[in-house]
């Protein structure tokens, strides 16, 4: 891989990790409890697993620059959703969770000068096609 592409990939990874930290802090400020970050199962990853009241919330975090070509919510396509469902099902079984489950998307838009805007879509998708 050329040095420029490697640098961009490393920067994207750093931006993603920073975005996930910001997302967790934002959700905690909204009354959510962080249960797990970067939960992995069978080459799948859930960025954040949170709980609010009696709802288990699986959160996909996207960090985008202001001029991103694809809006963050659109990047969580059906294939990505299926990966999230399989990892979430494993977590639910592992923790013996019997309450409500929800899938959210949280994205952070980065603006010049360090400004960040957080958008949170609750119940963004579900395994039943809604």
């Amino acid at each position: 891989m050329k040095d420029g592409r490697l640098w961009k990939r490393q920067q994207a990874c750093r931006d993603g990790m920073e975005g996930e930290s910001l997302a967790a802090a934002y959700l905690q400020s909204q009354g959510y409890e962080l249960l797990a970050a970067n939960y992995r199962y069978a080459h799948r990853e859930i960025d954040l697993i949170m709980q609010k009241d009696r709802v288990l919330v699986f959160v996909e975090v996207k960090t985008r620059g202001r001029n991103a070509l694809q809006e963050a919510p659109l990047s969580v396509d059906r294939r990505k959703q299926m990966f999230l469902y399989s990892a979430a099902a494993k977590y639910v079984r592992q923790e013996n969770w019997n309450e409500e489950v929800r899938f959210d998307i949280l994205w952070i838009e980065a603006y010049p000068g360090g400004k960040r805007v957080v958008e949170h879509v609750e119940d963004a998708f579900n395994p039943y096609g809604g």
Side-chain angles (χ1 to χ4, degrees):
M1 186 179 297
K2 292 185 179 179
D3 288 342
R5 284 192 286 172
L6 177 60
W7 182 86
K8 283 183 179 181
R9 187 177 183 99
Q10 290 171 336
Q11 185 62 43
C13 185
R14 283 190 296 271
D15 290 348
M17 291 184 336
E18 179 185 342
E20 289 170 12
S21 293
L22 289 169
Y26 170 80
L27 290 169
Q28 287 171 316
S29 78
Q30 301 299 306
Y32 290 77
E33 177 187 357
L34 177 63
L35 302 179
N38 304 111
Y39 174 81
R40 293 183 184 278
Y41 168 69
H43 304 291
R44 286 138 172 77
E45 179 183 330
I46 299 173
D47 294 329
L48 300 173
I49 302 174
M50 311 291 288
Q51 183 178 346
K52 187 168 184 182
D53 302 320
R54 298 177 64 99
V55 180
L56 186 63
V57 184
F58 297 98
V59 184
E60 178 66 12
V61 178
K62 296 293 181 184
T63 305
R64 295 285 190 258
R66 181 66 187 124
N67 296 319
L69 294 177
Q70 183 180 34
E71 288 186 35
L74 298 176
S75 69
V76 185
D77 59 15
R78 192 72 182 146
R79 181 174 181 265
K80 176 67 174 178
Q81 290 173 22
M82 297 307 290
F83 287 156
L84 292 170
Y85 299 144
S86 66
K90 170 66 174 173
Y91 186 87
V92 165
R93 284 190 306 272
Q94 171 187 308
E95 298 299 318
N96 197 29
W97 185 262
N98 293 311
E99 303 292 331
E100 185 179 346
V101 171
R102 190 176 82 209
F103 293 86
D104 291 4
I105 299 173
L106 189 143
W107 72 93
I108 299 168
E109 282 191 62
Y111 289 84
K115 180 182 175 189
R116 305 273 191 263
V117 175
V118 176
E119 297 287 339
H120 180 203
V121 178
E122 295 181 1
D123 203 16
F125 52 90
N126 67 61
Y128 308 107

